[in-house]
Amino acid sequence: MRLRKLPVLLILVVVGISLLATYNLASQISRTHTIKQQQELQRRGSEDMLRRLSARVCGSPAAEGYAHVNPECLEASPTNTWWHEWQSSGASKEHAQAVLEQHADYDGLAVVWGIGHTTQTAEDCAEACRSYSPTLQQGGPFSRLPCNVFTWCPQQTCFEPDVHTHSFGDCWLKFSEGPLNPEVNMRGMLSDDYRIRHPNAPKMVQWHSGVVLPIGLKPSNGTHSPRFYW
């Protein structure tokens, strides 16, 4: 056979090239499989994140005037457990963004009481929420919850249908389940019916509000909270 007439060295070269090609093909298949696995894990992780940041399992806190808020349920909620897992994975405020809406008031449970907690701008209030880290030293029933909603008062006084006086710079840091679908107390122009119920209400909502989410996510228009109908 002609192959027997080839020099031994040439045969070894041909065999070596063949083995190298086989190794490269196997490596390429392995890398492709690994990439697909990583993409599948990322897809599942993204779906899990969206599900947990949209879920509301503890009900609307403003129902019946916040009479049935359950801190234990909120601590075990998909939103809160996802946030703590995200933090444990190495995420920081640099991986989060604040999405601000003017003339809107979002509902939530105060992790930092806004009266007496002031900032000069809505952006500063947003940054305070983005930088907030829950600590037991702060006390209160919601000390284990992060900040993912904020509201800021831009005028000398800002109307709310409650007994408090809300002044310029008041910056409320809040926690809400499902921040991808914020609960809205007031937004934009107030209806005639609302102003009949509240004669001291302005024509336009004075508050600015927003949510803090992982970079790249945008909230929906949300839903009306029970407070919307007060």
Side-chain angles (χ1 to χ4, degrees):
M1 296 177 63
R2 297 182 66 184
L3 182 61
R4 294 177 180 175
K5 297 180 180 179
L6 292 174
V8 174
L9 181 60
L10 182 56
I11 294 174
L12 292 176
V13 169
V14 171
V15 171
I17 292 174
S18 177
L19 291 174
L20 181 60
T22 301
Y23 172 79
N24 288 339
L25 178 60
S27 298
Q28 183 177 357
I29 292 173
S30 177
R31 286 195 298 270
T32 301
H33 181 66
T34 300
I35 291 172
K36 287 183 177 180
Q37 283 184 320
Q38 292 173 343
Q39 290 173 340
E40 177 63 15
L41 289 173
Q42 290 174 352
R43 183 186 66 80
R44 291 181 182 179
S46 296
E47 289 178 352
D48 179 65
M49 174 179 64
L50 294 175
R51 178 184 61 80
R52 294 166 75 180
L53 293 182
S54 301
R56 185 175 296 278
V57 300
C58 303
S60 296
E64 298 185 40
Y66 300 91
H68 303 291
V69 175
N70 184 338
E72 289 77 18
C73 181
L74 294 167
E75 289 176 16
S77 67
T79 297
N80 185 51
T81 55
W82 177 87
W83 186 88
H84 283 282
E85 290 170 11
W86 192 54
Q87 291 288 301
S88 298
S89 72
S92 69
K93 71 173 188 176
E94 305 305 325
H95 301 96
Q97 63 178 352
V99 183
L100 177 67
E101 179 181 358
Q102 296 185 352
H103 304 295
D105 176 27
Y106 292 176
D107 199 33
L109 297 162
V111 296
V112 174
W113 195 255
I115 298 174
H117 176 254
T118 61
T119 62
Q120 288 300 306
T121 68
E123 289 75 16
D124 289 341
C125 184
E127 180 60 23
C129 184
R130 200 168 71 102
S131 302
Y132 178 81
S133 180
T135 170
L136 295 179
Q137 282 70 32
Q138 294 187 13
F142 311 123
S143 59
R144 290 185 174 89
L145 301 175
C147 178
N148 56 18
V149 171
F150 58 92
T151 56
W152 182 76
C153 175
Q155 298 188 17
Q156 185 174 356
T157 59
C158 290
F159 171 80
E160 278 287 349
D162 58 27
V163 299
H164 302 293
T165 298
H166 303 275
S167 305
F168 172 81
D170 281 357
C171 172
W172 291 78
L173 305 185
K174 306 177 182 181
F175 170 80
S176 175
E177 288 190 273
L180 274 173
N181 300 309
E183 286 201 306
V184 181
N185 297 330
M186 299 182 283
R187 172 182 276 146
M189 297 292 295
L190 294 172
S191 68
D192 291 339
D193 287 343
Y194 189 93
R195 297 181 67 210
I196 289 173
R197 297 199 306 272
H198 303 286
N200 294 328
K203 293 182 178 180
M204 173 85 68
V205 174
Q206 296 156 311
W207 294 89
H208 298 339
S209 295
V211 293
V212 172
L213 297 168
I215 290 174
L217 296 186
K218 292 184 179 181
S220 72
N221 284 333
T223 58
H224 291 155
S225 76
R227 195 178 175 103
F228 180 87
Y229 303 100
W230 285 11

